Amino acid sequence: MHIQFENGIFHLYNQNISYVIGILKNNHLGHYYFGKRLFGELREDMFRMDQKRGLSNYIEKDDMTFSLSHELLEFPCFGTTDYREPAIDLKLPSGSRIVDFKYITHRTYTGKKKIDLPATWGKEALNLEIDLYDDVAETLITLTYSLFEGINVIAKNVLIKNLGQGSITINRVMSSSIDLRDCHWDMVQFSGDWARERHEFVSKLRPGIQSIYSRRGASSAQHNPTAILKRTNTTEFAGEAIGLAFVYSGNFIIQSEVDSNQAVRLQCGIHPENFSWQLEHQMSFQAPEAILSYTSEGLNDLSKQFHNVFRDHLIQKKWQSYKKPVLLNNWEATYFDFTEDKLLDLASEACELGVELFVLDDGWFGVRNGDKTGLGDWFVNTDKLPNGLKFISNSIKSKGMQFGLWIEPEMVNENTQLISLHPDWVIGDPKRSKSHGRNQYVLDFTQTQVVDGIYNQLIKVLDDCPVDYIKWDMNRNITEAFSVHLTADQQGELHHRYILGVYDLYERLTQRYPHILFESCASGGARFDPAMLYFAPQAWTSDNTDAIERLKIQYSTSMFYPITSMGSHVSEVPNHQVGRMTSLRTRTQVAYFGTFGYELDITKLSDDDKLDIKKDITTFKQHRNLIHTGDFIRLQSPYFSNEVSWMVVDEKKSEALVGWYQVMAKPNQQPLILRLSGLGSNKKYKINDDQVYSGSYLMTHGLLLRQAFNGIEFSGDPAGDFQSRLFHLVEV
Ligand code: DGJ
């Protein structure tokens, strides 16, 4: 990886990608290129032309060739000659919103600097900082770009510093803004709602703006803060694509703007709606990080770049090689209705079967027998657990298992001690009624005393009771966004300050309990975003635990997120979210491709099922390292096919595990073909301890699969809808 500066052109590159920025004649930055690696000399005339154009405004007198409207820009400003959406919108003390940020200097260095937000890290990262200054605004903007060895990504962040005497207001700051020369891209987004998070939607770019966003105070189940631009013919295995991930958990926007020159402006940042930030003299504002990647080798390759950067440079080092424990969570087994005995029965049975971590979900604290009360009172419910939490934890740990606990620290219910002591700790406008979500209200995490209050309650519990894992839930979004503790001018800061409060609590808890594995959760996957991975290396993917629904959810979640971050559990049938019946085998073989665990009342299972679960857990443990450290490759998409498949392969291409699923049974089909990927062409692999095949055969012809039952003959595999098969390949 290299950062070159020659002839006013910055060239950031590694073996596969180039990112080129030029200093334009008005000293703004031009975004010259982002794509496949460029070799040889780079000159300005290769990327831009001086040309007279009609109906344009020009920067210089007597020069009718230079208008920002026709330039590809790196950090566009509003107010001179470009009318597209800017990267920055400031209100100056005069009331003016004209900004004109010009290049003044730059520097490069090795080792990524820590910023005041969750972001990538790496001592070997190569960095470029470019300073831009507007001498009327008396404001300095520093753009930082980072490259990581062997990964085709650029991480970017923006810092704004007010060097003037007055206070300025930031109305908009995009963490990344690049202009691409042509608009022949399709935008892929990951959208949905509760229990159907991150479904894939593809749409052609058209003139104007297409955006995905959240204004809910969390990154949301509705749109994930990630998106892809791909060519129409790009597949999982070939073709160009650009991926963009926003490392932030609050309100965001990702948008593509196609202009009249058929160029695309691709941006991401904190959503400017309802956002403003007062920046006093000498104060700085740190905008969150954005990560960009480019591939010419299809979506699997794009995903690999994000998996690698998230696994190696976002998730904390100590979790990278940590063996994620097989867990049993009591939520779908008992909901709120549990006793000490019931929990210990579940744990004993779990231990017998090989489960390594028992997680006590919602309902252990306050007066929490349903979702109407309890949140905010973080002390043990001794009616339910008469011997306290420590007793439960010790009993579980004495079996050799780990103990995990659920919390939802950002919320409060009515009828709690917390709300009666601190009625002003809730977000809302005292002049208006407050909407509720799941009977709960959002605590005002913009305020340090509120975060302190929750922190102090939680450490009392966690200092006393040994805990190895925490599931941090968040079950509603912000409404009536008003804080009685913020001034009128600061109300636009509420959403961002709230997220800073969440990060602050995460930071304090993860510092104090470095051994605790955190799993983030928000009614399932409503805050599954890159920034959360910085604190919590795994996330509950969805409350939807149905194996067939999970094919889509896990498939498209893997576009950006490594499967080692995806919470995936085997649950009961009929499934609690969709009522579907699926076999234990299918549920298990879908859940294997994630962090793997169980969420059902195992004490009620038949002896046969228990025996199967015991074997399944042993199998998972045998393959756990491969699943969590290998490259994940998507083979057949549930969005386009009745047969779905994916695989993981180790770095040496000597071992692989393949999951194959058939949604609906079909009569009298011809043989199904399972074509693999990522293997060594010249290598030979034994599959499931049986036949040997060459890598080239498996990747070009593909494995022939008999259908389970064709109306006349059974293959030996279970027949009917919702089937799955697992193939373990070992090099021979
Ligand atoms: C929502 C989560 O997604 C569930 O897994 C469970 O923890 C419940 N909340 C508990 O209230």
Side-chain angles (χ1 to χ4, degrees), residues 209-467:
I209 291 176
Q210 275 154 269
S211 67
I212 53 169
Y213 55 86
S214 168
R215 294 187 297 200
R216 299 170 166 263
S219 45
S220 91
Q222 282 67 20
H223 300 292
N224 196 256
T226 53
I228 295 172
L229 293 186
K230 71 170 190 71
R231 301 296 185 186
T232 301
N233 58 4
T234 295
T235 65
E236 289 286 10
F237 305 100
E240 280 194 302
I242 290 174
L244 175 58
F246 190 39
V247 189
Y248 189 59
S249 311
N251 291 351
F252 76 92
I253 188 158
I254 296 184
Q255 71 177 35
S256 305
E257 179 178 8
V258 175
D259 70 7
S260 53
N261 292 317
Q262 304 244 305
V264 190
R265 177 161 291 174
L266 175 65
Q267 298 189 317
C268 78
I270 293 178
H271 202 304
E273 179 85 24
N274 263 322
F275 169 80
S276 64
W277 194 271
Q278 293 299 117
L279 202 61
E280 306 300 333
H281 166 62
Q282 288 300 329
M283 298 303 284
S284 298
F285 179 82
Q286 176 66 60
E289 184 170 70
I291 304 178
L292 280 163
S293 179
Y294 166 85
T295 184
S296 57
E297 291 171 22
L299 298 177
N300 271 313
D301 184 62
L302 191 77
S303 298
K304 186 173 168 182
Q305 311 310 318
F306 283 100
H307 295 176
N308 288 347
V309 74
F310 289 174
R311 279 199 299 209
D312 299 347
H313 296 283
L314 189 57
I315 288 171
Q316 297 307 307
K317 204 173 186 77
K318 60 174 169 286
W319 302 117
Q320 289 174 353
S321 52
Y322 181 77
K323 253 201 278 164
K324 299 273 178 70
V326 177
L327 65 80
L328 175 82
N329 178 305
N330 77 308
W331 180 242
E332 286 200 14
T334 64
Y335 294 103
F336 293 106
D337 190 14
F338 57 80
T339 60
E340 201 171 79
D341 287 346
K342 180 71 201 175
L343 296 179
L344 294 179
D345 282 355
L346 280 168
S348 300
E349 195 67 65
C351 186
E352 280 290 300
L353 302 182
V355 169
E356 298 159 312
L357 162 68
F358 179 83
V359 180
L360 172 51
D361 209 279
D362 195 352
W364 59 266
F365 52 89
V367 188
R368 183 81 169 163
N369 299 315
D371 61 18
K372 288 222 159 95
T373 186
L375 293 173
D377 288 348
W378 297 106
F379 43 81
V380 180
N381 181 333
T382 43
D383 284 343
K384 274 185 177 173
L385 305 175
N387 293 305
L389 212 50
K390 199 171 172 178
F391 168 75
I392 298 277
S393 170
N394 285 339
S395 313
I396 285 165
K397 286 171 96 59
S398 68
K399 297 179 199 301
M401 292 168 84
Q402 296 184 340
F403 178 63
L405 203 58
W406 178 97
I407 57 173
E408 191 177 2
E410 298 155 68
M411 300 291 157
V412 66
N413 285 118
E414 276 174 341
N415 307 320
T416 50
Q417 292 187 17
L418 187 77
I419 202 112
S420 57
L421 281 172
H422 302 289
D424 61 325
W425 278 16
V426 177
I427 285 181
D429 183 342
K431 296 203 175 118
R432 300 180 188 278
S433 64
K434 293 184 187 61
S435 315
H436 74 95
R438 207 195 187 200
N439 306 299
Q440 64 196 50
Y441 301 89
V442 185
L443 285 171
D444 188 352
F445 266 38
T446 68
Q447 299 305 304
T448 312
Q449 81 262 22
V450 180
V451 177
D452 287 347
I454 297 298
Y455 174 75
N456 289 331
Q457 283 201 58
L458 290 174
I459 63 171
K460 242 191 197 160
V461 176
L462 299 172
D463 283 354
D464 180 54
C465 167
V467 165

Side-chain angles (χ1 to χ4, degrees), residues 132 204 224 235 342 350 381 387 518 520-521 534 611 699 726:
L132 308 174
K204 288 219 163 312
N224 196 256
T235 65
K342 180 71 201 175
N381 181 333
N387 293 305
F518 280 76
S520 74
C521 172
Y534 179 82
L611 209 63
M699 293 193 294
L726 197 68

Side-chain angles (χ1 to χ4, degrees), residues 1-4 11-17 37 109-111 122-127 146-154 313:
M1 54 186 178
H2 298 269
I3 297 174
Q4 245 173 30
H11 186 190
L12 295 79
Y13 63 92
N14 69 9
Q15 269 187 319
N16 301 308
I17 59 168
R37 166 76 191 277
Y109 55 89
T110 303
K123 346 199 246 303
E124 267 93 49
L126 191 59
N127 310 278
S146 304
L147 299 173
F148 304 91
E149 191 60 54
I151 308 180
N152 303 330
V153 298
I154 311 264
H313 296 283

